[in-house]
Amino acid sequence: MFIVNHPNQPTTPLPRAKGYRIDRKTGTLTIWGPLFKTIAAYPQGSWSTISQTPDNGQSQ
């Protein structure tokens, strides 16, 4: 599971997320889920950090 931290807002947990990409030119954070489908995208300035937590043995 990934957790996105936002400036001046509560965090957003993304339990279905499988990976992410940060576009170096635009600063956009894109998060994908199963079958590499985009499940969330955050433009530069709307997110501050992203962290990953262990899945605790959940099936993938």
PDB file of all heavy atoms in Angstrom, residues 6-34:
ATOM      1  N   HIS A   6       0.097  15.193   1.510  1.00  0.00           N
ATOM      2  CA  HIS A   6      -0.217  16.449   0.829  1.00  0.00           C
ATOM      3  C   HIS A   6       0.107  17.619   1.756  1.00  0.00           C
ATOM      4  O   HIS A   6      -0.063  17.508   2.969  1.00  0.00           O
ATOM      5  CB  HIS A   6      -1.705  16.520   0.470  1.00  0.00           C
ATOM      6  CG  HIS A   6      -2.208  15.325  -0.263  1.00  0.00           C
ATOM      7  ND1 HIS A   6      -2.020  15.158  -1.608  1.00  0.00           N
ATOM      8  CD2 HIS A   6      -2.880  14.232   0.155  1.00  0.00           C
ATOM      9  CE1 HIS A   6      -2.574  14.009  -1.982  1.00  0.00           C
ATOM     10  NE2 HIS A   6      -3.095  13.431  -0.932  1.00  0.00           N
ATOM     11  N   PRO A   7       0.525  18.745   1.204  1.00  0.00           N
ATOM     12  CA  PRO A   7       0.716  19.921   2.045  1.00  0.00           C
ATOM     13  C   PRO A   7      -0.638  20.455   2.523  1.00  0.00           C
ATOM     14  O   PRO A   7      -1.558  20.618   1.728  1.00  0.00           O
ATOM     15  CB  PRO A   7       1.420  20.928   1.127  1.00  0.00           C
ATOM     16  CG  PRO A   7       1.243  20.430  -0.254  1.00  0.00           C
ATOM     17  CD  PRO A   7       0.905  18.977  -0.176  1.00  0.00           C
ATOM     18  N   ASN A   8      -0.756  20.678   3.829  1.00  0.00           N
ATOM     19  CA  ASN A   8      -1.955  21.266   4.446  1.00  0.00           C
ATOM     20  C   ASN A   8      -3.226  20.451   4.251  1.00  0.00           C
ATOM     21  O   ASN A   8      -4.320  20.996   4.273  1.00  0.00           O
ATOM     22  CB  ASN A   8      -2.185  22.692   3.932  1.00  0.00           C
ATOM     23  CG  ASN A   8      -0.963  23.559   4.120  1.00  0.00           C
ATOM     24  OD1 ASN A   8      -0.301  23.498   5.151  1.00  0.00           O
ATOM     25  ND2 ASN A   8      -0.642  24.350   3.117  1.00  0.00           N
ATOM     26  N   GLN A   9      -3.109  19.143   4.023  1.00  0.00           N
ATOM     27  CA  GLN A   9      -4.277  18.267   3.868  1.00  0.00           C
ATOM     28  C   GLN A   9      -3.965  16.920   4.481  1.00  0.00           C
ATOM     29  O   GLN A   9      -2.792  16.566   4.652  1.00  0.00           O
ATOM     30  CB  GLN A   9      -4.624  18.082   2.394  1.00  0.00           C
ATOM     31  CG  GLN A   9      -5.139  19.308   1.700  1.00  0.00           C
ATOM     32  CD  GLN A   9      -5.492  19.008   0.247  1.00  0.00           C
ATOM     33  OE1 GLN A   9      -5.358  17.890  -0.233  1.00  0.00           O
ATOM     34  NE2 GLN A   9      -5.947  20.026  -0.463  1.00  0.00           N
ATOM     35  N   PRO A  10      -5.004  16.130   4.811  1.00  0.00           N
ATOM     36  CA  PRO A  10      -4.753  14.783   5.335  1.00  0.00           C
ATOM     37  C   PRO A  10      -4.115  13.874   4.282  1.00  0.00           C
ATOM     38  O   PRO A  10      -4.213  14.138   3.089  1.00  0.00           O
ATOM     39  CB  PRO A  10      -6.136  14.268   5.732  1.00  0.00           C
ATOM     40  CG  PRO A  10      -7.124  15.236   5.220  1.00  0.00           C
ATOM     41  CD  PRO A  10      -6.404  16.475   4.767  1.00  0.00           C
ATOM     42  N   THR A  11      -3.490  12.802   4.739  1.00  0.00           N
ATOM     43  CA  THR A  11      -2.851  11.856   3.822  1.00  0.00           C
ATOM     44  C   THR A  11      -3.908  11.051   3.063  1.00  0.00           C
ATOM     45  O   THR A  11      -5.047  10.932   3.495  1.00  0.00           O
ATOM     46  CB  THR A  11      -1.929  10.881   4.584  1.00  0.00           C
ATOM     47  OG1 THR A  11      -2.723  10.152   5.511  1.00  0.00           O
ATOM     48  CG2 THR A  11      -0.837  11.617   5.314  1.00  0.00           C
ATOM     49  N   THR A  12      -3.478  10.491   1.931  1.00  0.00           N
ATOM     50  CA  THR A  12      -4.367   9.661   1.111  1.00  0.00           C
ATOM     51  C   THR A  12      -3.787   8.254   1.039  1.00  0.00           C
ATOM     52  O   THR A  12      -2.740   8.047   0.411  1.00  0.00           O
ATOM     53  CB  THR A  12      -4.481  10.231  -0.312  1.00  0.00           C
ATOM     54  OG1 THR A  12      -4.931  11.577  -0.237  1.00  0.00           O
ATOM     55  CG2 THR A  12      -5.444   9.424  -1.157  1.00  0.00           C
ATOM     56  N   PRO A  13      -4.438   7.260   1.669  1.00  0.00           N
ATOM     57  CA  PRO A  13      -3.981   5.876   1.513  1.00  0.00           C
ATOM     58  C   PRO A  13      -4.477   5.305   0.186  1.00  0.00           C
ATOM     59  O   PRO A  13      -5.605   5.571  -0.239  1.00  0.00           O
ATOM     60  CB  PRO A  13      -4.615   5.155   2.707  1.00  0.00           C
ATOM     61  CG  PRO A  13      -5.820   5.959   3.044  1.00  0.00           C
ATOM     62  CD  PRO A  13      -5.533   7.382   2.620  1.00  0.00           C
ATOM     63  N   LEU A  14      -3.625   4.563  -0.475  1.00  0.00           N
ATOM     64  CA  LEU A  14      -3.982   3.937  -1.754  1.00  0.00           C
ATOM     65  C   LEU A  14      -3.699   2.438  -1.651  1.00  0.00           C
ATOM     66  O   LEU A  14      -2.647   1.954  -2.088  1.00  0.00           O
ATOM     67  CB  LEU A  14      -3.190   4.573  -2.890  1.00  0.00           C
ATOM     68  CG  LEU A  14      -3.468   6.062  -3.094  1.00  0.00           C
ATOM     69  CD1 LEU A  14      -2.357   6.719  -3.894  1.00  0.00           C
ATOM     70  CD2 LEU A  14      -4.805   6.255  -3.754  1.00  0.00           C
ATOM     71  N   PRO A  15      -4.627   1.675  -1.069  1.00  0.00           N
ATOM     72  CA  PRO A  15      -4.374   0.252  -0.819  1.00  0.00           C
ATOM     73  C   PRO A  15      -4.217  -0.605  -2.072  1.00  0.00           C
ATOM     74  O   PRO A  15      -3.560  -1.630  -2.031  1.00  0.00           O
ATOM     75  CB  PRO A  15      -5.586  -0.190   0.000  1.00  0.00           C
ATOM     76  CG  PRO A  15      -6.640   0.808  -0.275  1.00  0.00           C
ATOM     77  CD  PRO A  15      -5.929   2.100  -0.605  1.00  0.00           C
ATOM     78  N   ARG A  16      -4.805  -0.200  -3.197  1.00  0.00           N
ATOM     79  CA  ARG A  16      -4.711  -1.004  -4.424  1.00  0.00           C
ATOM     80  C   ARG A  16      -3.498  -0.659  -5.272  1.00  0.00           C
ATOM     81  O   ARG A  16      -3.260  -1.285  -6.301  1.00  0.00           O
ATOM     82  CB  ARG A  16      -5.980  -0.821  -5.249  1.00  0.00           C
ATOM     83  CG  ARG A  16      -7.221  -1.384  -4.569  1.00  0.00           C
ATOM     84  CD  ARG A  16      -8.472  -1.273  -5.415  1.00  0.00           C
ATOM     85  NE  ARG A  16      -8.268  -1.839  -6.730  1.00  0.00           N
ATOM     86  CZ  ARG A  16      -8.575  -1.211  -7.870  1.00  0.00           C
ATOM     87  NH1 ARG A  16      -9.107  -0.014  -7.839  1.00  0.00           N
ATOM     88  NH2 ARG A  16      -8.355  -1.789  -9.028  1.00  0.00           N
ATOM     89  N   ALA A  17      -2.730   0.331  -4.873  1.00  0.00           N
ATOM     90  CA  ALA A  17      -1.595   0.785  -5.682  1.00  0.00           C
ATOM     91  C   ALA A  17      -0.502  -0.279  -5.739  1.00  0.00           C
ATOM     92  O   ALA A  17      -0.202  -0.943  -4.747  1.00  0.00           O
ATOM     93  CB  ALA A  17      -1.036   2.075  -5.115  1.00  0.00           C
ATOM     94  N   LYS A  18       0.081  -0.413  -6.917  1.00  0.00           N
ATOM     95  CA  LYS A  18       1.174  -1.365  -7.127  1.00  0.00           C
ATOM     96  C   LYS A  18       2.500  -0.667  -7.427  1.00  0.00           C
ATOM     97  O   LYS A  18       3.552  -1.269  -7.313  1.00  0.00           O
ATOM     98  CB  LYS A  18       0.843  -2.316  -8.279  1.00  0.00           C
ATOM     99  CG  LYS A  18      -0.392  -3.139  -8.063  1.00  0.00           C
ATOM    100  CD  LYS A  18      -0.217  -4.112  -6.925  1.00  0.00           C
ATOM    101  CE  LYS A  18      -1.464  -4.956  -6.764  1.00  0.00           C
ATOM    102  NZ  LYS A  18      -1.434  -5.758  -5.557  1.00  0.00           N
ATOM    103  N   GLY A  19       2.447   0.597  -7.833  1.00  0.00           N
ATOM    104  CA  GLY A  19       3.676   1.315  -8.157  1.00  0.00           C
ATOM    105  C   GLY A  19       3.377   2.765  -8.479  1.00  0.00           C
ATOM    106  O   GLY A  19       2.219   3.178  -8.535  1.00  0.00           O
ATOM    107  N   TYR A  20       4.443   3.524  -8.685  1.00  0.00           N
ATOM    108  CA  TYR A  20       4.262   4.940  -8.994  1.00  0.00           C
ATOM    109  C   TYR A  20       5.404   5.440  -9.865  1.00  0.00           C
ATOM    110  O   TYR A  20       6.433   4.792 -10.006  1.00  0.00           O
ATOM    111  CB  TYR A  20       4.174   5.780  -7.719  1.00  0.00           C
ATOM    112  CG  TYR A  20       5.461   5.876  -6.936  1.00  0.00           C
ATOM    113  CD1 TYR A  20       6.332   6.943  -7.133  1.00  0.00           C
ATOM    114  CD2 TYR A  20       5.810   4.909  -6.016  1.00  0.00           C
ATOM    115  CE1 TYR A  20       7.515   7.034  -6.427  1.00  0.00           C
ATOM    116  CE2 TYR A  20       6.980   4.994  -5.301  1.00  0.00           C
ATOM    117  CZ  TYR A  20       7.834   6.053  -5.504  1.00  0.00           C
ATOM    118  OH  TYR A  20       9.005   6.145  -4.805  1.00  0.00           O
ATOM    119  N   ARG A  21       5.181   6.618 -10.450  1.00  0.00           N
ATOM    120  CA  ARG A  21       6.179   7.269 -11.299  1.00  0.00           C
ATOM    121  C   ARG A  21       6.090   8.767 -11.067  1.00  0.00           C
ATOM    122  O   ARG A  21       5.000   9.319 -10.932  1.00  0.00           O
ATOM    123  CB  ARG A  21       5.887   6.969 -12.770  1.00  0.00           C
ATOM    124  CG  ARG A  21       6.815   7.659 -13.733  1.00  0.00           C
ATOM    125  CD  ARG A  21       6.420   7.329 -15.183  1.00  0.00           C
ATOM    126  NE  ARG A  21       7.334   7.929 -16.114  1.00  0.00           N
ATOM    127  CZ  ARG A  21       7.234   9.179 -16.559  1.00  0.00           C
ATOM    128  NH1 ARG A  21       6.262   9.953 -16.160  1.00  0.00           N
ATOM    129  NH2 ARG A  21       8.112   9.654 -17.419  1.00  0.00           N
ATOM    130  N   ILE A  22       7.234   9.418 -11.009  1.00  0.00           N
ATOM    131  CA  ILE A  22       7.291  10.866 -10.893  1.00  0.00           C
ATOM    132  C   ILE A  22       7.899  11.406 -12.178  1.00  0.00           C
ATOM    133  O   ILE A  22       9.015  11.051 -12.540  1.00  0.00           O
ATOM    134  CB  ILE A  22       8.134  11.305  -9.681  1.00  0.00           C
ATOM    135  CG1 ILE A  22       7.520  10.761  -8.397  1.00  0.00           C
ATOM    136  CG2 ILE A  22       8.252  12.826  -9.634  1.00  0.00           C
ATOM    137  CD1 ILE A  22       8.400  10.930  -7.175  1.00  0.00           C
ATOM    138  N   ASP A  23       7.134  12.229 -12.883  1.00  0.00           N
ATOM    139  CA  ASP A  23       7.615  12.857 -14.105  1.00  0.00           C
ATOM    140  C   ASP A  23       8.572  13.983 -13.710  1.00  0.00           C
ATOM    141  O   ASP A  23       8.165  14.939 -13.062  1.00  0.00           O
ATOM    142  CB  ASP A  23       6.444  13.408 -14.907  1.00  0.00           C
ATOM    143  CG  ASP A  23       6.870  13.946 -16.256  1.00  0.00           C
ATOM    144  OD1 ASP A  23       7.822  14.770 -16.299  1.00  0.00           O
ATOM    145  OD2 ASP A  23       6.258  13.566 -17.265  1.00  0.00           O
ATOM    146  N   ARG A  24       9.825  13.869 -14.064  1.00  0.00           N
ATOM    147  CA  ARG A  24      10.839  14.850 -13.651  1.00  0.00           C
ATOM    148  C   ARG A  24      10.637  16.226 -14.276  1.00  0.00           C
ATOM    149  O   ARG A  24      11.000  17.229 -13.688  1.00  0.00           O
ATOM    150  CB  ARG A  24      12.233  14.332 -13.979  1.00  0.00           C
ATOM    151  CG  ARG A  24      12.609  13.153 -13.127  1.00  0.00           C
ATOM    152  CD  ARG A  24      14.014  12.683 -13.458  1.00  0.00           C
ATOM    153  NE  ARG A  24      14.310  11.454 -12.772  1.00  0.00           N
ATOM    154  CZ  ARG A  24      15.311  11.322 -11.920  1.00  0.00           C
ATOM    155  NH1 ARG A  24      16.093  12.337 -11.649  1.00  0.00           N
ATOM    156  NH2 ARG A  24      15.522  10.170 -11.336  1.00  0.00           N
ATOM    157  N   LYS A  25      10.049  16.271 -15.453  1.00  0.00           N
ATOM    158  CA  LYS A  25       9.813  17.566 -16.106  1.00  0.00           C
ATOM    159  C   LYS A  25       8.674  18.342 -15.454  1.00  0.00           C
ATOM    160  O   LYS A  25       8.786  19.525 -15.188  1.00  0.00           O
ATOM    161  CB  LYS A  25       9.482  17.364 -17.586  1.00  0.00           C
ATOM    162  CG  LYS A  25      10.652  17.355 -18.492  1.00  0.00           C
ATOM    163  CD  LYS A  25      10.147  17.343 -19.930  1.00  0.00           C
ATOM    164  CE  LYS A  25      11.278  17.644 -20.882  1.00  0.00           C
ATOM    165  NZ  LYS A  25      10.849  17.566 -22.274  1.00  0.00           N
ATOM    166  N   THR A  26       7.553  17.661 -15.246  1.00  0.00           N
ATOM    167  CA  THR A  26       6.355  18.344 -14.758  1.00  0.00           C
ATOM    168  C   THR A  26       6.137  18.199 -13.259  1.00  0.00           C
ATOM    169  O   THR A  26       5.361  18.936 -12.678  1.00  0.00           O
ATOM    170  CB  THR A  26       5.101  17.820 -15.475  1.00  0.00           C
ATOM    171  OG1 THR A  26       4.913  16.444 -15.143  1.00  0.00           O
ATOM    172  CG2 THR A  26       5.217  17.999 -16.970  1.00  0.00           C
ATOM    173  N   GLY A  27       6.775  17.202 -12.627  1.00  0.00           N
ATOM    174  CA  GLY A  27       6.579  16.961 -11.200  1.00  0.00           C
ATOM    175  C   GLY A  27       5.304  16.213 -10.878  1.00  0.00           C
ATOM    176  O   GLY A  27       4.900  16.126  -9.727  1.00  0.00           O
ATOM    177  N   THR A  28       4.661  15.654 -11.895  1.00  0.00           N
ATOM    178  CA  THR A  28       3.415  14.922 -11.687  1.00  0.00           C
ATOM    179  C   THR A  28       3.695  13.540 -11.113  1.00  0.00           C
ATOM    180  O   THR A  28       4.549  12.809 -11.609  1.00  0.00           O
ATOM    181  CB  THR A  28       2.640  14.783 -13.010  1.00  0.00           C
ATOM    182  OG1 THR A  28       2.373  16.085 -13.513  1.00  0.00           O
ATOM    183  CG2 THR A  28       1.342  14.030 -12.828  1.00  0.00           C
ATOM    184  N   LEU A  29       2.954  13.195 -10.061  1.00  0.00           N
ATOM    185  CA  LEU A  29       3.023  11.875  -9.454  1.00  0.00           C
ATOM    186  C   LEU A  29       1.885  11.038 -10.019  1.00  0.00           C
ATOM    187  O   LEU A  29       0.718  11.424  -9.913  1.00  0.00           O
ATOM    188  CB  LEU A  29       2.880  11.988  -7.932  1.00  0.00           C
ATOM    189  CG  LEU A  29       2.685  10.686  -7.155  1.00  0.00           C
ATOM    190  CD1 LEU A  29       3.925   9.808  -7.258  1.00  0.00           C
ATOM    191  CD2 LEU A  29       2.351  10.985  -5.716  1.00  0.00           C
ATOM    192  N   THR A  30       2.205   9.920 -10.656  1.00  0.00           N
ATOM    193  CA  THR A  30       1.201   9.017 -11.220  1.00  0.00           C
ATOM    194  C   THR A  30       1.304   7.686 -10.494  1.00  0.00           C
ATOM    195  O   THR A  30       2.388   7.123 -10.372  1.00  0.00           O
ATOM    196  CB  THR A  30       1.428   8.806 -12.728  1.00  0.00           C
ATOM    197  OG1 THR A  30       1.446  10.082 -13.369  1.00  0.00           O
ATOM    198  CG2 THR A  30       0.338   7.957 -13.334  1.00  0.00           C
ATOM    199  N   ILE A  31       0.171   7.185 -10.022  1.00  0.00           N
ATOM    200  CA  ILE A  31       0.131   5.930  -9.280  1.00  0.00           C
ATOM    201  C   ILE A  31      -0.700   4.932 -10.061  1.00  0.00           C
ATOM    202  O   ILE A  31      -1.788   5.275 -10.548  1.00  0.00           O
ATOM    203  CB  ILE A  31      -0.475   6.167  -7.881  1.00  0.00           C
ATOM    204  CG1 ILE A  31       0.383   7.195  -7.147  1.00  0.00           C
ATOM    205  CG2 ILE A  31      -0.556   4.876  -7.091  1.00  0.00           C
ATOM    206  CD1 ILE A  31      -0.287   7.877  -6.031  1.00  0.00           C
ATOM    207  N   TRP A  32      -0.195   3.717 -10.208  1.00  0.00           N
ATOM    208  CA  TRP A  32      -0.932   2.711 -10.950  1.00  0.00           C
ATOM    209  C   TRP A  32      -1.261   1.532 -10.057  1.00  0.00           C
ATOM    210  O   TRP A  32      -0.631   1.283  -9.049  1.00  0.00           O
ATOM    211  CB  TRP A  32      -0.194   2.272 -12.205  1.00  0.00           C
ATOM    212  CG  TRP A  32       1.103   1.560 -11.977  1.00  0.00           C
ATOM    213  CD1 TRP A  32       1.265   0.246 -11.677  1.00  0.00           C
ATOM    214  CD2 TRP A  32       2.415   2.124 -12.032  1.00  0.00           C
ATOM    215  NE1 TRP A  32       2.598  -0.045 -11.549  1.00  0.00           N
ATOM    216  CE2 TRP A  32       3.320   1.091 -11.752  1.00  0.00           C
ATOM    217  CE3 TRP A  32       2.902   3.396 -12.281  1.00  0.00           C
ATOM    218  CZ2 TRP A  32       4.698   1.301 -11.721  1.00  0.00           C
ATOM    219  CZ3 TRP A  32       4.263   3.585 -12.242  1.00  0.00           C
ATOM    220  CH2 TRP A  32       5.150   2.551 -11.975  1.00  0.00           C
ATOM    221  N   GLY A  33      -2.286   0.810 -10.481  1.00  0.00           N
ATOM    222  CA  GLY A  33      -2.764  -0.354  -9.752  1.00  0.00           C
ATOM    223  C   GLY A  33      -2.596  -1.605 -10.579  1.00  0.00           C
ATOM    224  O   GLY A  33      -1.689  -1.693 -11.416  1.00  0.00           O
ATOM    225  N   PRO A  34      -3.489  -2.571 -10.368  1.00  0.00           N
ATOM    226  CA  PRO A  34      -3.409  -3.816 -11.131  1.00  0.00           C
ATOM    227  C   PRO A  34      -3.440  -3.557 -12.635  1.00  0.00           C
ATOM    228  O   PRO A  34      -4.123  -2.646 -13.102  1.00  0.00           O
ATOM    229  CB  PRO A  34      -4.652  -4.585 -10.682  1.00  0.00           C
ATOM    230  CG  PRO A  34      -5.001  -4.011  -9.358  1.00  0.00           C
ATOM    231  CD  PRO A  34      -4.582  -2.572  -9.402  1.00  0.00           C
TER     232      PRO A  34
END
